[in-house]
Amino acid sequence: MSEDPAKPQWRYTEAADAAQRKVCRVLKWFHLLAWFKKWERLMASRPPRKNISPRLFSSNSKTESPLLYYGWPFKERYLIEYAKRHHLSFRPPNPLRTKLGCGEEFNFAEITEAHFSDKKLITGLRCIARVLSLTKLIKATGAELVVGRPFTFDYPYILVMWTNYNIEKQYGWLGAFGKYDKVVKILDDAMNEYCHGQRTNLHWWWSWENDVVCSL
């Protein structure tokens, strides 16, 4: 309690106020830790799988099926490194050329750590690298590739070959023309060029978009 006559007697001293704030921070940390553990348990119950039951295909389900991705998970920097290794390029607008230090065209082979240090710039470059990389891989395979978010803390993105909602259509044309093995080989090689000994494999992954995830 404060003994200052100019202040009401019910007010806390600075030390007590600081102690209260510290307790609140600790409680908030424990609350966040509890939530994190809850996420981990949920993720552990929905691990990536090589195969899934046909009952999870949307056409076979009597109720709405959870969304599952079939593809290769990857780290945040991966597609920039892919664009760099394959010398993918684009024509940036004039204001961006100054930041990139380039002429009319920027080649990802010229990217430096200085570019990575500019968070706003590198966020934009990641998006461009994603578009360029997907375009290259789609041309190489003919597959309808997209990028999704797998339900895991280990990888922020996944290169999606298909989902349990379009597998019958997508696999149908690949199987009909005998292209499945060739397409998988092209994509598997592409997604493991920059793996540093930690391969990423083709699996089924839960999506962050499912109701059981969004409701938490």
Side-chain angles (χ1 to χ4, degrees), residues 130-144:
R130 180 189 304 178
V131 172
L132 295 175
S133 299
L134 278 179
T135 300
K136 178 179 174 61
L137 292 172
I138 288 170
K139 286 182 178 179
T141 62
E144 296 180 11

Side-chain angles (χ1 to χ4, degrees), residues 63-112:
T63 58
E64 186 174 356
S65 299
L67 177 60
L68 300 172
Y69 296 134
Y70 191 55
W72 292 261
F74 60 92
K75 300 290 188 178
E76 193 169 53
R77 185 164 169 161
Y78 190 83
L79 289 185
I80 280 188
E81 294 296 337
Y82 180 87
K84 179 180 179 179
R85 288 192 305 277
H86 291 268
H87 296 262
L88 303 184
S89 61
F90 70 101
R91 298 173 66 87
N94 287 329
L96 189 56
R97 292 176 188 172
T98 303
K99 282 192 172 183
L100 292 172
C102 68
E104 293 186 358
E105 187 173 270
F106 178 76
N107 191 306
F108 272 92
E110 301 167 1
I111 198 167
T112 67

